[in-house]
Amino acid sequence: MGTLSTHVLDTSLGRPAAGLAVTLATDEGTELARATTDADGRVGTLGPEVLDAGDYALTFATGDYFTTSGATGFYPSVTITFTISDGAEHYHVPLLLNPYGYSTYRGS
């Protein structure tokens, strides 16, 4: 069965971004799941085991994370929109984060 996972690394600190809220939604904006990253910056499974083919969005509450960390960030949230082509596959969407920038890629 397919799953969706994420991992957030705070590159300004060189460690995982623990306690960061993440929301999964459809492209129409219907919320499917909410989670918070663990001590290793991970959410192991987010949403249903199988996602239908289509576009989805992961939104990371980066502003809250940086405020809690005592830092000032530029982006109050980061939304990554991606396409599921085969719901039986595993999809991993990592986020490399710092207060003034971010990057992502399709992980494994």
Side-chain angles (χ1 to χ4, degrees):
M1 290 276 172
T3 60
L4 175 67
S5 60
T6 189
H7 187 199
V8 185
L9 297 174
D10 184 334
T11 60
S12 66
L13 299 175
R15 65 178 185 223
L20 197 154
V22 182
T23 304
L24 172 66
T26 65
D27 61 339
E28 293 93 21
T30 302
E31 185 177 308
L32 298 176
R34 284 183 176 264
T36 302
T37 57
D38 64 15
D40 195 34
R42 295 180 185 275
V43 175
T45 301
L46 187 62
E49 285 190 24
V50 176
L51 292 169
D52 294 332
D55 294 338
Y56 294 86
L58 279 176
T59 300
F60 299 84
T62 54
D64 293 342
Y65 166 78
F66 283 119
T67 297
T68 300
S69 301
T72 301
F74 184 69
Y75 300 100
S77 66
V78 170
T79 299
I80 301 169
T81 305
F82 57 96
T83 302
I84 297 289
S85 56
D86 180 354
E89 286 188 43
H90 174 77
Y91 290 84
H92 183 65
V93 183
L95 177 64
L96 303 175
L97 178 65
N98 70 66
Y100 298 98
Y102 62 91
S103 64
T104 187
Y105 57 95
R106 179 173 178 191
S108 58

